[in-house]
Amino acid sequence: MEGVNTVANKSEDTIVCYAPTMITTNGVWQGDNPLDYSLPLFILQLTMVVITTRALVFILKPLRQPRVVSEILGGVLLGPSVLGRSQGFANTMFPLRSVMVLETMANIGLLYFLFLVGVEMDLSVIRRTGKKALAIAVAGMVLPFLTGVCFSFILHDNKPEFLTQGTYILFLGVALSVTAFPVLARILAELKLINSEIGRLAMSSALINDMCAWILLALAIALAENDSTSLASLWVILSSAAFIACCIFVVRPAISWMIWKTPEGESFSEFYVCLILTGVMISGFITDAIGTHSVFGAFVFGLIIPNGPLGITLIEKLEDFVSGLLLPLFFAISGLKTDVAAINGGRTWGMLALVVFLSCTGKIAGTIIVTSFYQMPLSEGFTLGLLMNTKGLIEMIVLNVGKDQKVLDDESFAIMVIVAVVMTGIISPIVATIYKPSRRFVPYKRRTLQRSKPDGELRMLVCVHTPRNVPTLINLLEASHPTKKSPICVYVLHLVELTGRASAMLIVHNTRKSGRPALNRTQAQSDHIINAFENFEQHSSCISIQPLTAISPYSSMHEDICSLAEDKRVALIIIPFHKQQTVDGGMEATNPAFRTVNQNLLANAPCSVGILIDRGLSGSTRLAANEVSHNVAVLFFGGPDDREALTYGWRMCEQPGTSLTVRRFISGADAAESRMHYTTDENDPRMLTVETDTSREKQLDDEYINDFRIKTANDESLIYTENVVNNGEETVAAIRTIDSSHDLFIVGRGQGMISPLTAGLTDWSECPELGAIGDILASSDFASTVSVLVIQQYIGVLPHESIGTPDSPAQPDDEHMNRRTPQRGPAVFD
């Protein structure tokens, strides 16, 4: 044999001899057994680990278990605790000679995963967290750490003398007090709490906790030196500090230069990406040579990568391969090292249960003390304490390092792995059961324009994808007639796609210091959008702007919009259409995901929604510094959505210089047989009940139109006309006769209604979310350069909403509010 590898096994040294040349096989036809060669064996081991962990992820998903639990349990299942009890299986699938290759690959996966975690962390969050998150993080670490110190004396009594008491305390304390930031982010996203107040507080606290854990881990590794007289520990700490300083002051400027050299919008060159990926290895090598763990270097290297397109590129290239294929190997190795049989006797199992209970209780108690000081409800403090008990990657690194350094023996290691799995496993189900944020919400009435007080503040939520949406939205707000009697409060929400796991959040912007450069393209866009709206606010009276940014996946972005609308008691949400106008006048899709956001928003919105088809809204002439002339047209076919559209147009026409044309379409004699009716499709969430007949809807339309005409009888800027049509073709022909002198069409979506006026129009609709008329006006073949606002009225008033404060007197449409709406909880903030 040409090489010798020594592997420690249960405090006995086992010598394993292997031939370094036995890497690839000559093939079974040559009489070779593939499992005698390192590469085929490793491929089989990797396949088995991935299949086992993925199967467990699928099985445990209904129990709301995070992936880390399945990955650790997969390793335990394959290890000496379960399948490994069979010597045949253990010697065939996981022989001692294969451990070196397996651990090497697992550590490479860990190296790059921790690099990605560092890339995704936004350290600016720590600066924004404030004292509350800092206090929660510290309180959540101190009590579990003290619990670990107390139990270290009991558990350490029976251990061999080489396990030094001080280092043992440090490892046990860190393992019990740490909170796994990446795992917590996934749990919060799954529970849909990531953008709630408690979610943001938990994320901020966990981020601080994680940073403290890394410092303590580096200290623990440095102090794991058994020779107490040696100055090695001091040199390790000083060298680590020098490495961090070098990364911040030398490497980060070099990477910033790479970003600066790459033109905006272009992809980074392969050379730059390769250089950074090599830098991860070099960082790992340096910190390993210093005496800390190699993952410490990779993590620090990831932290110094500036947020923005470079980080996104690295995540896209590495994420799936590293976290899907290589990372489970690390957890499997941890499981393979875990021998439950090493936990001897009932006393130790009792001690294990006590450790779990006290460390959990310690974190919860520490968190409740801080939240009580800040006058947060007890239920929130308890939930936050539970969330801070999330364990995962960092703890497993601590335990593996402790075992490698012989600070933890087999029994202590097995106990702590079980503690990690149990504590992480119980969090999601308990939080999902006990924490119901909707219970504390108070409903509000002014969910629509029609129900809003004419002499009260109008609250609107305006969503923006790109700076291109801004000019038309500003002109639309300007035309919405803000006055001292009825001011407008606008929440401007910049929608940004979440590309990483750990940074979903809602950012409330305060005015940044002028002249300070943006960190990345997204922030540059946000700054451009915010500056435009703040400039508009400064030059306009009676309108207030609050800029925010929502960073979340497109699939759940509508949830952030809805929760913000409820939080701020908004009456109308305006969101851009997913298509934009091209140079030749056609319409092209910008991002298909925008359409999904719009569709989800229409189905779940807690107030009225307007989809804006942007073809410019500059206004024909500017009359004064803050007055613009607009020519607005409302197409009225009947129904709640059209009444909401007319309400908005009515508000606009009160603006000096703005003219309003209302065209009401009425069924002709030939259409009398097919009267307007409403669908009774059980799948239609906006379905009218069978009892609500057409005549009632028509009566409400007539009452509202008559009220509108009486109150605007002397208004010379208003034109009201009626068009009699018999079918969809005549309706389209009538719409095409409307001259293009208008700046804006406002139409109702007409959801849930089938009218002879629009019969057949939906058969070839490109975008059903706009309704039959909205789809025609938004289509490429509609020869017009007029912007369109398609409005859907919020029509659900839940029975309990009568307990809310009397925001407004009863409106004409109050009596028909018996229509069924999506089953949403009373989730409305104070």
Side-chain angles (χ1 to χ4, degrees):
M1 295 295 175
E2 298 178 34
V4 176
N5 180 33
T6 305
V7 180
N9 183 24
K10 294 189 180 178
S11 76
E12 293 180 6
D13 286 342
T14 305
I15 297 176
V16 179
C17 300
Y18 64 92
T21 53
M22 292 180 68
I23 296 169
T24 55
T25 175
N26 293 318
V28 290
W29 308 118
Q30 301 286 344
D32 288 347
N33 180 1
L35 297 183
D36 291 337
Y37 294 81
S38 59
L39 183 62
L41 181 60
F42 170 73
I43 291 169
L44 188 63
Q45 289 169 336
L46 180 60
T47 306
M48 184 174 286
V49 166
V50 171
I51 289 172
T52 306
T53 53
R54 285 290 164 181
L56 285 170
V57 167
F58 179 76
I59 293 165
L60 296 177
K61 193 173 184 180
L63 301 176
R64 293 178 174 272
Q65 293 303 306
R67 201 168 81 186
V68 66
V69 170
S70 304
E71 287 168 342
I72 297 171
L73 286 178
V76 172
L77 194 67
L78 295 170
S81 301
V82 187
L83 294 176
R85 297 186 77 82
S86 161
Q87 286 299 315
F89 176 84
N91 293 333
T92 305
M93 293 307 304
F94 294 98
L96 283 172
R97 61 186 166 80
S98 71
V99 170
M100 187 174 73
V101 175
L102 205 57
E103 286 214 37
T104 303
M105 289 306 296
N107 277 288
I108 288 174
L110 186 63
L111 202 71
Y112 278 102
F113 182 77
L114 264 296
F115 166 71
L116 289 178
V117 170
V119 169
E120 291 173 350
M121 273 192 183
D122 186 2
L123 289 181
S124 62
V125 173
I126 295 180
R127 291 198 296 271
R128 292 197 298 263
T129 51
K131 295 177 183 176
K132 192 191 291 187
L134 182 63
I136 289 169
V138 172
M141 286 192 79
V142 170
L143 285 177
F145 195 88
L146 293 175
T147 304
V149 170
C150 296
F151 274 92
S152 66
F153 288 101
I154 301 169
L155 294 170
H156 191 264
D157 286 345
N158 305 321
K159 301 294 177 282
E161 293 196 8
F162 62 79
L163 295 175
T164 57
Q165 180 74 45
T167 314
Y168 190 78
I169 287 173
L170 200 54
F171 270 93
L172 201 60
V174 172
L176 287 175
S177 60
V178 72
T179 299
F181 177 75
V183 180
L184 178 65
R186 288 177 182 176
I187 289 175
L188 287 170
E190 198 173 296
L191 295 173
K192 303 195 186 306
L193 292 175
I194 204 157
N195 280 330
S196 65
E197 184 186 355
I198 194 170
R200 290 194 289 273
L201 203 53
M203 292 280 281
S204 302
S205 303
L207 187 56
I208 296 166
N209 188 303
D210 240 19
M211 299 307 294
C212 294
W214 276 108
I215 294 164
L216 288 172
L217 175 60
L219 191 64
I221 294 169
L223 295 176
E225 178 67 47
N226 291 324
D227 184 0
S228 58
T229 60
S230 172
L231 288 173
S233 299
L234 179 63
W235 284 114
V236 169
I237 295 167
L238 291 174
S239 303
S240 300
F243 170 76
I244 293 169
C246 179
C247 284
I248 294 169
F249 297 110
V250 178
V251 181
R252 186 182 169 90
I255 294 172
S256 299
W257 179 81
M258 286 183 197
I259 295 170
W260 178 74
K261 286 287 287 181
T262 304
E264 187 175 322
E266 288 190 17
S267 56
F268 289 88
S269 70
E270 282 185 30
F271 175 71
Y272 288 161
V273 174
C274 188
L275 207 60
I276 290 167
L277 297 183
T278 308
V280 179
M281 291 289 199
I282 294 168
S283 301
F285 174 79
I286 291 169
T287 48
D288 200 69
I290 286 170
T292 53
H293 201 285
S294 57
V295 296
F296 179 73
F299 177 69
V300 171
F301 190 74
L303 278 179
I304 62 157
I305 302 286
N307 292 332
L310 178 60
I312 293 167
T313 302
L314 293 168
I315 290 163
E316 285 174 351
K317 287 184 180 295
L318 292 175
E319 176 95 52
D320 295 333
F321 179 71
V322 171
S323 63
L325 205 62
L326 294 183
L327 189 65
L329 269 184
F330 173 72
F331 290 110
I333 288 285
S334 303
L336 289 169
K337 290 179 183 175
T338 306
D339 187 3
V340 178
I343 305 174
N344 297 315
R347 178 179 175 275
T348 311
W349 279 103
M351 198 70 69
L352 169 65
L354 199 59
V355 170
V356 172
F357 176 75
L358 287 180
S359 56
C360 266
T361 309
K363 254 194 193 300
I364 292 169
T367 307
I368 287 175
I369 290 168
V370 175
T371 52
S372 300
F373 176 77
Y374 283 101
Q375 299 179 334
M376 288 174 67
L378 185 66
S379 62
E380 286 197 6
F382 182 75
T383 304
L384 203 51
L386 270 176
L387 291 169
M388 295 302 287
N389 271 302
T390 307
K391 303 294 177 189
L393 193 68
I394 307 298
E395 186 182 25
M396 297 312 296
I397 294 170
V398 172
L399 297 178
N400 275 283
V401 171
K403 194 169 192 303
D404 293 342
Q405 300 278 5
K406 298 185 179 178
V407 175
L408 302 175
D409 64 354
D410 286 351
E411 185 180 36
S412 302
F413 183 82
I415 286 173
M416 295 311 297
V417 169
I418 292 170
V419 167
V421 172
V422 171
M423 287 172 74
T424 307
I426 62 175
I427 288 167
S428 286
I430 293 178
V431 171
T433 305
I434 67 166
Y435 186 65
K436 305 289 183 186
S438 59
R439 287 177 187 164
R440 66 187 180 87
F441 299 154
V442 176
Y444 69 105
K445 282 187 175 182
R446 290 183 289 174
R447 294 173 180 270
T448 69
L449 295 171
Q450 199 176 347
R451 291 171 61 83
S452 295
K453 285 182 180 178
D455 56 348
E457 182 186 57
L458 173 63
R459 296 189 177 193
M460 298 169 68
L461 173 59
V462 172
C463 301
V464 182
H465 288 296
T466 66
R468 178 168 179 163
N469 307 139
V470 172
T472 300
L473 286 168
I474 285 179
N475 283 310
L476 183 67
L477 293 173
E478 197 171 24
S480 300
H481 190 50
T483 62
K484 287 182 181 178
K485 189 178 175 184
S486 179
I488 299 179
C489 178
V490 183
Y491 299 93
V492 178
L493 187 64
H494 181 205
L495 303 176
V496 179
E497 184 187 12
L498 171 67
T499 50
R501 292 181 307 280
S503 54
M505 64 182 73
L506 184 74
I507 301 168
V508 180
H509 294 280
N510 298 316
T511 307
R512 282 200 308 122
K513 293 177 183 176
S514 59
R516 184 176 165 189
L519 294 174
N520 52 56
R521 188 181 178 188
T522 301
Q523 194 187 60
Q525 280 200 342
S526 279
D527 289 348
H528 185 79
I529 291 164
I530 291 161
N531 290 338
F533 277 99
E534 286 181 345
N535 186 50
F536 164 58
E537 181 184 23
Q538 288 169 9
H539 292 88
S540 303
S541 56
C542 311
I543 193 161
S544 58
I545 303 285
Q546 171 62 70
L548 307 103
T549 298
I551 304 173
S552 57
Y554 284 130
S555 58
S556 63
M557 196 171 272
H558 67 282
E559 293 173 7
D560 301 331
I561 300 169
C562 291
S563 63
L564 183 66
E566 287 179 325
D567 182 11
K568 305 301 182 185
R569 295 170 171 257
V570 166
L572 176 66
I573 299 170
I574 295 178
I575 191 163
F577 188 45
H578 71 278
K579 292 183 180 180
Q580 64 185 19
Q581 193 170 31
T582 56
V583 178
D584 61 356
M587 300 293 288
E588 66 173 7
T590 50
N591 186 338
F594 294 173
R595 184 180 186 185
T596 306
V597 174
N598 292 358
Q599 290 169 333
N600 289 336
L601 185 62
L602 288 168
N604 298 282
C607 60
S608 295
V609 179
I611 296 181
L612 179 65
I613 295 99
D614 181 4
R615 294 191 180 112
L617 181 61
S618 58
S620 52
T621 55
R622 183 169 286 275
L623 303 179
N626 57 353
E627 288 183 10
V628 174
S629 167
H630 289 293
N631 195 343
V632 180
V634 174
L635 307 185
F636 190 94
F637 290 82
D641 293 348
D642 285 46
R643 291 195 292 273
E644 186 79 349
L646 180 55
T647 305
Y648 197 28
W650 190 351
R651 182 183 176 103
M652 284 183 167
C653 79
E654 293 173 4
Q655 176 95 351
T658 297
S659 61
L660 176 67
T661 303
V662 178
R663 284 189 174 238
R664 186 181 186 188
F665 289 78
I666 301 172
S667 300
D670 294 344
E673 294 180 7
S674 54
R675 305 286 295 178
M676 175 171 42
H677 64 281
Y678 283 77
T679 60
T680 54
D681 180 6
E682 287 295 323
N683 296 320
D684 187 348
R686 289 168 50 87
M687 178 191 75
L688 289 175
T689 57
V690 178
E691 291 80 13
T692 307
D693 57 9
T694 310
S695 59
R696 177 61 185 149
E697 278 299 307
K698 190 172 186 309
Q699 182 186 346
L700 288 167
D701 290 340
D702 291 340
E703 285 175 3
Y704 196 67
I705 286 284
N706 291 336
D707 185 46
F708 166 72
R709 294 188 68 184
I710 290 167
K711 290 181 179 177
T712 58
N714 298 322
D715 191 344
E716 295 180 359
S717 65
L718 191 143
I719 301 168
Y720 175 83
T721 59
E722 292 186 351
N723 287 58
V724 178
V725 291
N726 295 302
N727 52 48
E729 288 181 16
E730 291 185 15
T731 300
V732 173
I735 291 172
R736 290 189 183 280
T737 61
I738 300 173
D739 59 49
S740 58
S741 62
H742 300 292
D743 305 309
L744 177 69
F745 283 123
I746 305 178
V747 296
R749 184 186 175 205
Q751 173 68 353
M753 84 175 197
I754 301 171
S755 165
L757 307 180
T758 57
L761 297 183
T762 54
D763 295 345
W764 57 77
S765 284
E766 285 182 44
C767 305
E769 67 269 22
L770 297 178
I773 305 303
D775 184 69
I776 291 168
L777 295 173
S779 63
S780 299
D781 61 342
F782 187 74
S784 175
T785 56
V786 182
S787 292
V788 183
L789 184 66
V790 180
I791 292 184
Q792 171 185 285
Q793 185 182 57
Y794 176 79
I795 54 172
V797 176
L798 301 171
H800 64 269
E801 293 209 32
S802 57
I803 65 169
T805 53
D807 288 330
S808 60
Q811 296 288 340
D813 62 329
D814 285 0
E815 296 173 21
H816 78 288
M817 290 296 182
N818 59 343
R819 283 175 279 176
R820 199 178 70 182
T821 53
Q823 296 300 308
R824 295 170 55 81
V828 186
F829 287 89
D830 272 310

